[in-house]
Amino acid sequence: MTDTLTETPVLIVGGGPIGLALAVDLGWRGTECILVEQSDGTIDLPRANAIDLRSMEQARRWGITEAIRAKGIPADFPHTALYATSLGGYEIARFDRGGHGGAGALDVSPERPQRCNQLFFDPILRARARELPGVDVRFNTRFDSFTQDEKGVTATVTDTQTGAASQIRAQYLIACCGGRSPIRQSLGIPLGEDGILGYPVSIFFRAKNLWEHHDKGKTALNFLIDAGGVWATLIPLDGRELWRITLHGSKDWLDPATIDADNIIRRVAGFDFEYELIACGNWTRREMVADRYRWGRVLLAGDAAHQNTPTGGYGMNTGLGDAVDLGWKLTAIHEGWAGDNLLDTYEAERRPVAVRNVTEATASFR
């Protein structure tokens, strides 16, 4: 039974980077919104890492670029891509990416692409959202169900700490709640099993200044190669002591408990060194794009609308583009200088981008 009803122009479901970015964009434009997220915001495993040039330009507008540079890979850390048999083994190739990282303008932009993992990026967005008037961020709040009519959406949510249920009445509901989106499922849109590329495993560990133990120097992308090709990648998460190994995985789901993480870490390094294993988990590598992005007053964004392999760093950046596209259009409608049909252009503009990026990510991975 619900006791309270809150009204808002926009209800955002999902407190990951896309939902938070949409809340920030709306708040920056002066449009009120409520964001609900069932978790407390804690991230168990590192996720998206690359913030591309256009995303940094949006972050500049939101006033968070300095925070991104401070929390991400240090300015003097090279964004070099290395291909090797192991860190201590044979170097096959490397590509230096001088236009990535650090401060200062490029010929095409006042910003540079950065590497700032969601471990740090999400809290930056969350803090900015909470600074903006009219933005109501509610973690530990589970989205349960919704109904919609010609004028809006009525959603039922539950405070997971108290068990209290309430209703939120919004003009529009934006699903930023990931690939397992309950909103997507309630609309009868299956995720689709045909787009599964495999089940990778991520190994999260701590080792201070790992580059001091080998001759390859500091590198941002490390592709580990054996006779079968690239079998794992290693990336620094903070350029100091946090690292992630990704095993490419297979078509079969692997129980992380069966993975010998210590052996994998030593194989990637090619030597013994001191480290702390933090976590080991798996996830699903997909290629999919929803056939539709809009159902009346409900719209999909981010992983709820499209999913791709992380290869190339397209996923989160594509979703951030969704958020910005929705931000100004929802504001235009709310302020009365555009009609509801403006939102029909969201799918027309953003879905082709997702198709292109998902296709490119899969090709790069393969």
Side-chain angles (χ1 to χ4, degrees):
M1 181 175 180
T2 59
D3 298 323
T4 60
L5 174 67
T6 307
E7 296 187 2
T8 184
V10 182
L11 171 60
I12 303 167
V13 178
I18 311 311
L20 288 169
L22 177 55
V24 169
D25 199 73
L26 288 170
W28 179 80
R29 297 177 188 280
T31 300
E32 295 181 356
C33 63
I34 295 175
L35 181 152
V36 297
E37 162 60 44
Q38 65 179 353
S39 75
D40 63 1
T42 300
I43 299 177
D44 297 327
L45 283 170
R47 297 178 186 174
N49 206 60
I51 304 179
D52 69 18
L53 187 63
R54 301 309 174 203
S55 295
M56 282 300 294
E57 289 173 349
Q58 303 302 339
R60 178 187 181 93
R61 187 160 49 84
W62 298 330
I64 60 174
T65 53
E66 290 302 320
I68 290 171
R69 283 189 281 268
K71 290 292 186 180
I73 297 292
D76 61 351
F77 198 102
H79 286 231
T80 300
L82 173 72
Y83 293 78
T85 56
S86 68
L87 294 181
Y90 182 76
E91 179 175 323
I92 298 170
R94 69 169 59 216
F95 300 95
D96 294 319
R97 301 185 298 163
H100 289 65
L106 298 173
D107 291 343
V108 296
S109 175
E111 292 296 332
R112 290 168 171 262
Q114 302 290 334
R115 298 187 69 78
C116 182
N117 195 272
Q118 276 184 250
L119 293 169
F120 320 114
F121 185 49
D122 283 19
I124 291 171
L125 287 170
R126 187 184 315 146
R128 183 63 178 131
R130 284 175 166 158
E131 291 174 350
L132 293 165
V135 177
D136 184 354
V137 178
R138 303 181 185 181
F139 280 80
N140 299 304
T141 303
R142 185 185 68 241
F143 172 88
D144 294 323
S145 62
F146 76 95
T147 59
Q148 70 167 310
D149 52 49
E150 292 182 357
K151 294 184 178 180
V153 175
T154 303
T156 301
V157 300
T158 299
D159 185 319
T160 59
Q161 295 180 314
T162 67
S166 61
Q167 288 189 324
I168 300 174
R169 176 68 176 175
Q171 295 174 26
Y172 295 96
L173 169 63
I174 314 301
C176 303
C177 39
R180 296 188 179 92
S181 168
I183 296 171
R184 179 190 173 100
Q185 294 174 17
S186 69
L187 292 167
I189 309 302
L191 186 60
E193 298 305 309
D194 293 340
I196 294 178
L197 300 175
Y199 299 94
V201 173
S202 292
I203 299 172
F204 184 22
F205 68 99
R206 177 181 285 109
K208 187 174 182 180
N209 299 347
L210 179 56
W211 54 86
E212 293 180 354
H213 298 277
H214 60 83
D215 62 355
K216 307 298 187 296
K218 297 178 179 179
T219 49
L221 294 169
N222 300 281
F223 299 90
L224 288 308
I225 298 176
D226 61 15
V230 177
W231 63 275
T233 57
L234 168 71
I235 65 168
L237 301 173
D238 62 351
R240 302 168 183 87
E241 63 176 8
L242 297 177
W243 305 82
R244 181 186 68 199
I245 294 171
T246 300
L247 300 179
H248 279 194
S250 66
K251 287 289 185 179
D252 299 319
W253 185 86
L254 297 174
D255 183 349
T258 66
I259 299 297
D260 187 345
D262 293 317
N263 181 60
I264 295 297
I265 291 172
R266 287 193 296 270
R267 182 183 172 192
V268 166
F271 49 80
D272 290 326
F273 66 102
E274 292 186 2
Y275 62 88
E276 175 193 354
L277 179 61
I278 300 174
C280 182
N282 64 351
W283 43 281
T284 304
R285 191 188 302 270
R286 296 183 185 275
E287 55 169 345
M288 61 78 61
V289 180
D291 292 336
R292 294 172 57 189
Y293 278 24
R294 182 182 186 186
W295 288 261
R297 296 274 174 161
V298 182
L299 298 102
L300 308 181
D303 282 357
H306 47 78
Q307 294 179 53
N308 57 268
T309 170
T311 311
Y314 295 102
M316 181 175 71
N317 291 293
T318 305
L320 292 174
D322 297 344
V324 172
D325 193 86
L326 281 170
W328 79 264
K329 290 173 180 175
L330 290 166
T331 296
I333 295 168
H334 179 63
E335 293 180 350
W337 52 274
D340 172 82
N341 59 358
L342 176 62
L343 283 175
D344 291 337
T345 67
Y346 168 62
E347 178 182 315
E349 292 177 358
R350 295 305 303 169
R351 190 176 183 279
V353 175
V355 170
R356 180 193 66 193
N357 289 354
V358 170
T359 301
E360 178 63 24
T362 298
S364 297
F365 170 68
R366 287 176 172 162

